[in-house]
Amino acid sequence: MGLSYRRFEKVSAATSFLTEEAGACVVGGGTLLVRRVNEGDAAVTTYVRVCDPEMKRIDEADGRIRLGALVTMAQLLGHPGLQWLAPAARIVGGPAIRSAATVGGNLFAASPYGDFGVALLALGAVVTVHGAVGVEEWPLAEFFARRDSLPAGLIVTSVAFTRPEAGTFRFVKASRVKPKGAAIVSIAAVIARDAGRVGAARIAFGAMAGTPIRASSFERALIGEQLITATLDRLEPHVTEGTTPPSDAIASAWYRQAVLPVHLRRLLLPEIDG
Amino acid sequence: MAKIPLHFILNGEERAEFVDSGATLLRLLRDKTGDLTAKSGCLQGTCGTCTVLVDGAPRLSCITLAEDCDGADVETVAGLAAHGQLHPLQHAVMEHFAAQCGFCTPGMLMAAKALFLTNPRPSREDVVEALSGNICRCTGYEPIIQAVLSAAQVMSASGPGAA
Ligand SMILES: Cc1cc2nc3c(=O)[nH]c(=O)nc-3n(C[C@H](O)[C@H](O)[C@H](O)COP(=O)(O)OP(=O)(O)OC[C@H]3O[C@@H](n4cnc5c(N)ncnc54)[C@H](O)[C@@H]3O)c2cc1C
Ligand code: FES
Ligand code: FES
């Protein structure tokens, strides 16, 4: 059976089609999906292109930023109000990947990919999904937890998050090949200080499980602490808690767990370890 | 299999072709237009030898859907030389011995052209970044980087619009 391509102006029409057609897949930039088809995956029979212009928009109102699912990494890099997010968009593949790769597609990328999703997780993003039952908003962590068993026909239309206070967002990706390479680990953090101590922390890891994950145990332990070397030394056992990294061509699970605290320390204490 | 009519611009010329639904831009270029300059390498988005410009942005034609390029402006290495004159990038590649087997060259040149469109005076670091999605198994990259830097110099000396 051959391949086909279908274009839909309305998300709801695309959802219905996807629900009925088992081999139909939404295509974003196609950097993973078309590659899969090129590799010989015959399960994909139809590319579904959703042409809703809302899905290509970047909006900000009252400190809330909304990224349409079809916004590309290149589009983010060119957006003057989002330069603080550039460290997370710039490390997705090379320039030609970035002019195709979308925010929505990144949420579906298997480890060690999905670096932008790591940033979104640390930003506390909420995902808007359209499905057979209508429109819902899911916290990104919930989306990742359900990713392997999503109902048929589900389309991510946007992600939204509150603009973090200036200087509180940090991101690093460690890879073997520079400037472009898959992650050994990627880390994003939003840390708010309160009287010299950590008031709130959201930290997310990429390539440390099947999907991006929050560093929940470490986050909890960090609250109320001073961000200094002694604190990180003491809290180090929390860092790898809950991680189940893959072993792949980039790194073994053991190696990923061994270097994660080092990269986290460099990110959190750049003035000392960077 | 359904044949889909597409209209697009290829290297400045209007084209109309029929493609199989779901085909890639690489197949459209190589099988339908006769432009064989975009190479079929890995088909995985990894090697970069199929890089072309779509509406001025670098795209990997092996993982770009042809139907998404309906109405688009597509540029390949075949359009680089104008009026019988090699493009400064092509000259620089010869002068710096930046092509050996040549398989990566079309993709390298298009990635460099994409860079010049947004950054006509790139630093070495900018060039390395711009070529980071393109693999070369022969040259060790240095001659290619030097060629791109030297072409940028030539082009900025000859004024804006040279890209
Ligand atoms: C050479 C190369 C290097 C790469 N490097 C990196 C890297 O460094 N970091 C990284 O994170 N990723 C990397 N990737 C992976 C990929 O390019 C990115 O993760 C990208 O963001 C995926 O987005 P896409 O739009 O191309 O997804 P697509 O390929 O279009 O889609 C991927 C999957 O998501 C589904 N999907 C897409 N959009 C939606 C939607 N809106 N709703 C529902 N389902 C949807 C598709 O059906 C498909 O199953 C790389 C890929 C390649 C080929
Ligand atoms: S052939 Fe397209 S990236 Fe290798
Ligand atoms: S010249 Fe042979 S791959 Fe680059």
Side-chain angles (χ1 to χ4, degrees):
Chain A
M1 163 128 181
L3 266 175
S4 64
Y5 172 106
R6 292 284 304 268
R7 193 176 272 137
F8 293 90
E9 306 299 325
K10 286 207 161 69
V11 178
S12 53
T15 301
S16 311
F17 181 79
L18 286 161
T19 316
E20 285 154 23
E21 203 53 42
C25 291
V26 178
V27 61
T31 58
L32 292 169
L33 186 62
V34 181
R35 170 178 159 141
R36 227 170 87 196
V37 172
N38 286 352
E39 238 168 26
D41 185 344
V44 181
T45 57
T46 311
Y47 295 115
V48 172
R49 167 64 66 216
V50 188
C51 296
D52 182 349
E54 285 293 307
M55 284 175 67
K56 288 194 169 172
R57 286 174 58 96
I58 300 175
D59 297 300
E60 182 165 5
D62 303 325
R64 200 79 188 141
I65 297 169
R66 180 193 160 281
L67 309 176
L70 291 176
V71 166
T72 64
M73 297 301 141
Q75 205 180 332
L76 287 168
L77 287 171
H79 195 281
L82 293 179
Q83 288 311 299
W84 57 273
L85 247 185
R90 193 185 300 123
I91 49 65
V92 175
I97 287 285
R98 292 195 291 270
S99 46
T102 65
V103 169
N106 203 266
L107 302 183
F108 289 86
S111 283
Y113 290 150
D115 298 308
F116 196 75
V118 177
L120 290 172
L121 192 57
L123 288 163
V126 167
V127 189
T128 302
V129 296
H130 284 237
V133 291
V135 184
E136 288 179 11
E137 287 197 341
W138 297 355
L140 184 53
E142 184 185 333
F143 173 86
F144 283 137
R146 294 171 68 175
R147 193 176 71 178
D148 291 339
S149 54
L150 291 174
L154 189 119
I155 298 178
V156 172
T157 52
S158 65
V159 295
F161 51 86
T162 302
R163 175 181 280 272
E165 267 180 55
T168 59
F169 174 77
R170 305 169 194 213
F171 182 89
V172 69
K173 168 173 161 179
S175 52
R176 291 190 190 276
V177 183
K178 294 209 171 55
K180 185 194 93 125
I184 296 169
V185 57
S186 51
I187 311 175
V190 178
I191 302 218
R193 309 274 186 122
D194 187 2
R197 290 176 182 271
V198 175
R202 276 196 309 261
I203 300 172
F205 298 146
M208 292 307 296
T211 67
I213 50 165
R214 285 279 287 275
S216 309
S217 164
F218 179 71
E219 283 175 2
R220 275 195 300 276
L222 200 59
I223 305 294
E225 296 281 355
Q226 282 182 294
L227 211 46
I228 53 172
T229 309
T231 307
L232 297 191
D233 283 346
R234 187 160 42 78
L235 301 186
E236 188 166 318
H238 292 279
V239 175
T240 50
E241 220 179 289
T243 62
T244 51
S247 282
D248 55 28
I250 311 293
S252 67
W254 172 85
Y255 182 77
R256 284 191 158 102
Q257 284 179 325
V259 299
L260 176 66
V262 178
H263 291 293
L264 180 62
R265 181 183 291 252
R266 287 181 188 160
L267 182 69
L268 298 185
L269 299 174
E271 51 291 337
I272 299 167
D273 282 310
Chain B
M1 195 182 290
K3 297 281 180 196
I4 307 297
L6 294 184
H7 292 87
F8 57 102
I9 296 176
L10 178 59
N11 298 323
E13 269 181 40
E14 278 193 41
R15 302 293 293 245
E17 303 288 350
F18 283 96
V19 290
D20 292 335
S21 188
T24 61
L25 175 58
L26 182 66
R27 294 270 55 100
L28 166 64
L29 291 171
R30 293 186 65 86
D31 301 346
K32 303 288 172 172
T33 72
D35 181 342
L36 301 177
T37 56
K39 299 291 172 229
S40 177
C42 64
L43 303 181
Q44 293 293 292
T46 310
C47 75
T49 192
C50 66
T51 307
V52 300
L53 301 192
V54 177
D55 295 329
R59 293 293 296 267
L60 299 161
S61 60
C62 72
I63 51 173
T64 300
L65 296 174
E67 282 142 296
D68 282 337
C69 300
D70 195 24
D73 188 348
V74 180
E75 289 172 74
T76 69
V77 106
L80 268 190
H83 316 298
Q85 298 285 315
L86 289 183
H87 187 278
L89 268 168
Q90 293 170 304
H91 262 297
V93 163
M94 289 197 305
E95 274 162 26
H96 291 266
F97 200 53
Q100 288 182 28
C101 79
F103 196 73
C104 69
T105 313
M108 290 286 180
L109 292 185
M110 294 321 279
K113 174 150 193 201
L115 168 69
F116 292 165
L117 290 176
T118 52
N119 180 359
R121 288 164 198 247
S123 64
R124 182 192 158 83
E125 201 186 334
D126 297 334
V127 172
V128 170
E129 166 62 38
L131 303 181
S132 62
N134 297 71
I135 292 174
C136 176
R137 297 283 80 163
C138 304
T139 66
Y141 298 100
E142 196 53 37
I144 303 177
I145 296 167
Q146 291 308 324
V148 175
L149 282 169
S150 127
Q153 259 183 358
V154 169
M155 285 160 64
S156 45
S158 53

